[in-house]
Amino acid sequence: MRVYGLHAGLIALLLALHFVLPAYHHGNLARVMVLASYAMGYNLLFGYTGLLSLGHALFFAAGMYGMGLGVQHLGLSPAPALLAGLGAGAVVSAGLAALALRTGGVAFMIVTLMFAQAGYLTVLYFGAYTRGDEGFVIQQAQRMLWGIDLSDPGNRYLAALILFGCCLMLSLWLVRAPFGRVLVAIRENEERVRMLGYDVFAHKFAAMVISGTMAGAAGAAYGLLFGYAGATFASVQYSIFPLLWVLLGGAGTVLGPFIGTLFMFYLIDLSSGITTAYMLIAGVALVLLTLFAPQGLMGEVRRRLWRGLP
Amino acid sequence: MLLSTRGLSKQFAGLRAVEGVDFDLPKGEIHALIGPNGAGKTTLVGMISGRIAPTAGRVLFDGQDITRLPAHRRMRLGMAYTFQITSVFARLSVAENVALAARRRAHGGQVNAVIDEVLERVGLPDRKDQEAGDLAYGHQRLLEIAMGIAQRPRLLILDEPTQGLAEGEIEGFKILIRDLAQEATILLIEHNMHVVMELAGRITVMNFGAVLAEGTPEQIRASREVQAAYLGGTSDAAAG
Ligand SMILES: Nc1ncnc2c1ncn2[C@@H]1O[C@H](COP(=O)(O)OP(=O)(O)OP(=O)(O)O)[C@@H](O)[C@H]1O
Ligand SMILES: [Mg+2]
């Protein structure tokens, strides 16, 4: 109960902030919530199952382009376009899971990295449709969901909050369910799990598809809410980001991805206001954090304050 | 027969770890597998449980040829396996370790009942919330056994379960195994001769990857071959 209270409390807090935050931070937080949904998807695979993917941008971009191309070229309205994005994330992650899960450890990292890179090149190759690096804008008229204008900052924030809330509660429920417990056990000792009679491959496969679908949903929402799809989101950078966010916030904690994304977002935002060498400041902060809180912020909270924190 | 092997063999890069083993295990028996270090005992049960792929031969479980079944499917048929080298989830709680084993069969509130029951049986009732990695080595062995029992197996394979147990705990272990034999067939790899002689209905002796002898404890004790190869040969066996 306390656990659900804490997580529902965060959603309530974010809802309250909607009414009080100044426009600038209000906009930032909407972005952070969508990116944190991406990070939560990543965390299910990396933090809970122990599989380090370097190719999640592929799923994020699959969602973004599944939605964006549907709107742009098939004239889909937002609801079916979002579903198309979700489906694209699911199909692409299932395909990659079927291939990459035959490997493990470093090979898994390399295979996911390679396929994500191939995905990036595919986006560039089909520049006639995707407009490559330049990307394309999704017009305001194309962003009307059931009469609600998603380009309006207020609506956008609430839509981001709904996505975030769903991903958060789904993650929380999943990692506390028997299925999620098996994922954690796989992370801890895969051979033992197999000898307890669990199908390790099937569990990893399901984890990767759920993770990729969540990333796809976030990608689709990002494109729709901020009105743009571009190849940058398929680049290796966007595979590294969720890893950093999750490490910072605490891998294998439900709140970690949000905390990490928020922290990093404002770290870069604030330091870029002070100096042009903002990446340096961000880098130093990261090093300090890994030195003093190697399990991430929420990992540290779990270690010191609340051992049962999911 | 609950379990049979025919011509089961394993070569590791030229080394014949197990060579043409025909082995039969009737239901309800406590069967001990003994032999000097490197005789191939762990490799044999590894092939039975599906951890190790054989180079030749067949494994039959309850009349079904399971040679090609992956390990997890064999466990689902009713096997449970405890590792020679302790393999618990060190960073998870004792209760969660057992829960993972129990949840394949039990659901919801039943799981907690199973946890309490098996931890009581192996003698770790007050350790539930401790991290498994913090347990003493002998207690981790007991936790392994608890995880085996929680699966409610028809065949329980124990690879040197008493290694690292204190004298008093070994007494408890004997009582536990006799009690378990009511519910499950037990295949026990064991170096402690007192435990073997007291518990086993039948004994198989391995040496150099092959079966050297099989029989009741009395027959094995009397066999000169076994004496020469094993009982008099290695100090840890004699010391027990
Ligand atoms: N994975 C492996 N690769 C190569 N050789 C192996 C492997 N596993 C076992 N062996 C070798 O196979 C032989 C049989 O080993 P096994 O572990 O089955 O013996 P054991 O009877 O269980 O011995 P112990 O009593 O020491 O546990 C040994 O010579 C061992 O070195
Ligand atoms: Mg052995």
Side-chain angles (χ1 to χ4, degrees):
Chain A
M1 266 339 287
R2 232 173 107 204
V3 164
Y4 279 94
L6 174 73
H7 294 79
L10 173 63
I11 293 174
L13 175 69
L14 289 168
L15 181 62
L17 286 174
H18 168 60
F19 299 103
V20 297
L21 276 185
Y24 176 67
H25 295 292
H26 184 266
N28 283 349
L29 203 52
R31 212 172 280 267
V32 166
M33 284 190 287
V34 178
L35 293 175
S37 303
Y38 177 27
M40 279 190 273
Y42 187 81
N43 189 35
L44 286 176
L45 193 66
F46 169 64
Y48 286 96
T49 319
L51 287 165
L52 201 164
S53 151
L54 289 179
H56 259 53
L58 183 64
F59 311 143
F60 189 76
M64 179 177 271
Y65 282 101
M67 181 282 302
L69 295 176
V71 168
Q72 203 73 353
H73 298 287
L74 306 174
L76 292 185
S77 60
L82 280 173
L83 277 182
L86 206 80
V91 169
V92 171
S93 54
L96 184 54
L99 294 167
L101 287 177
R102 292 168 198 284
T103 67
V106 176
F108 180 81
M109 291 160 56
I110 292 171
V111 171
T112 48
L113 180 68
M114 266 173 39
F115 273 92
Q117 203 55 23
Y120 174 64
L121 294 175
T122 307
V123 171
L124 295 184
Y125 182 80
F126 289 102
Y129 302 99
T130 64
R131 305 192 50 97
D133 267 332
E134 195 185 316
F136 58 88
V137 170
I138 298 163
Q139 303 297 338
Q140 183 182 359
Q142 297 167 310
R143 292 156 69 190
M144 300 296 289
L145 179 64
W146 300 313
I148 302 165
D149 180 2
L150 292 177
S151 67
D152 168 71
N155 293 338
R156 179 159 69 194
Y157 185 97
L158 292 175
L161 179 58
I162 290 172
L163 172 77
F164 176 77
C166 290
C167 292
L168 186 77
M169 284 306 171
L170 180 69
S171 297
L172 181 60
W173 171 74
L174 211 61
V175 302
R176 289 159 61 85
F179 171 77
R181 304 291 182 108
V182 175
L183 297 186
V184 170
I186 289 174
R187 179 190 76 196
E188 295 295 318
N189 187 344
E190 179 174 332
E191 174 70 355
R192 193 69 185 96
V193 174
R194 179 174 296 116
M195 296 312 285
L196 287 176
Y198 292 101
D199 187 338
V200 169
F201 182 87
H203 277 82
K204 284 183 177 175
F205 185 87
M208 193 153 168
V209 173
I210 296 169
S211 169
T213 306
M214 206 178 268
Y222 198 92
L224 194 64
L225 295 182
F226 301 102
Y228 171 76
T232 329
F233 295 105
S235 70
V236 67
Q237 238 187 90
Y238 269 80
S239 291
I240 303 295
F241 280 148
L243 173 62
L244 284 182
W245 296 330
V246 166
L247 281 176
L248 272 180
T253 65
V254 174
L255 290 176
F258 173 71
I259 301 293
T261 311
L262 186 71
F263 185 87
M264 181 101 150
F265 192 94
Y266 273 98
L267 188 66
I268 291 181
D269 188 65
L270 293 176
S271 51
S272 63
I274 301 167
T275 159
T276 47
Y278 62 89
M279 280 316 278
L280 189 70
I281 295 189
V284 169
L286 290 184
V287 170
L288 288 179
L289 208 82
T290 39
L291 280 180
F292 296 108
Q295 304 180 28
L297 294 167
M298 291 315 286
E300 217 48 32
V301 170
R302 175 192 280 166
R303 195 168 69 84
R304 288 166 195 260
L305 303 174
W306 187 351
R307 264 196 63 197
L309 188 72
Chain B
M1 286 302 148
L2 181 63
L3 175 79
S4 305
T5 72
R6 289 293 171 266
L8 206 55
S9 309
K10 179 71 190 181
Q11 294 197 10
F12 290 112
L15 173 87
R16 294 177 173 184
V18 172
E19 184 70 14
V21 168
D22 298 335
F23 175 73
D24 287 299
L25 181 59
K27 266 193 192 81
E29 193 170 275
I30 301 180
H31 195 110
L33 191 55
I34 65 173
N37 292 112
K41 308 179 293 294
T42 298
T43 307
L44 177 64
V45 295
M47 289 189 286
I48 290 171
S49 64
R51 281 187 78 202
I52 300 173
T55 30
R58 288 187 303 143
V59 183
L60 297 128
F61 185 66
D62 212 9
Q64 185 187 347
D65 189 330
I66 59 166
T67 316
R68 305 208 156 275
L69 280 191
H72 68 91
R73 298 271 305 277
R74 301 186 194 199
M75 299 304 121
R76 286 174 171 251
L77 289 177
M79 286 190 193
Y81 180 91
T82 70
F83 290 63
Q84 174 171 8
I85 298 161
T86 305
S87 178
V88 295
F89 302 103
R91 296 201 299 170
L92 305 182
S93 73
V94 168
E96 180 63 13
N97 271 268
V98 180
L100 282 160
R103 271 197 214 104
R104 247 190 50 237
R105 289 174 166 272
H107 301 281
Q110 290 173 311
V111 176
N112 282 326
V114 175
I115 295 172
D116 289 336
E117 178 217 313
V118 300
L119 287 179
E120 180 78 46
R121 272 176 99 171
V122 301
L124 294 173
D126 44 1
R127 304 287 177 150
K128 269 169 78 170
D129 299 322
Q130 210 167 333
E131 264 185 37
D134 291 343
L135 292 179
Y137 182 74
H139 286 173
Q140 293 191 19
R141 305 291 306 167
L142 293 176
L143 175 57
E144 279 249 11
I145 297 171
M147 291 162 75
I149 304 173
Q151 296 172 67
R152 304 266 182 260
R154 288 191 286 160
L155 171 63
L156 178 58
I157 301 171
L158 300 164
D159 197 345
E160 298 196 26
T162 65
Q163 202 184 63
L165 292 193
E167 209 48 50
E169 288 166 337
I170 290 184
E171 285 311 311
F173 172 79
K174 287 186 209 158
I175 297 167
L176 172 65
I177 294 300
R178 279 206 197 91
D179 184 35
L180 273 178
Q182 314 288 320
E183 314 155 23
T185 306
I186 292 168
L187 179 56
L188 173 70
I189 298 179
E190 185 55 66
H191 275 305
N192 183 326
M193 277 304 137
H194 299 300
V195 172
V196 170
M197 291 300 169
E198 268 183 62
L199 283 179
R202 289 183 75 78
I203 299 173
T204 296
V205 187
M206 286 184 76
N207 201 13
F208 298 118
V211 173
L212 182 71
E214 198 196 307
T216 63
E218 293 71 33
Q219 289 168 332
I220 294 301
R221 202 180 276 140
S223 157
R224 300 196 69 128
E225 249 184 323
V226 175
Q227 293 288 346
Y230 184 48
L231 294 181
T234 63
S235 55
D236 62 340

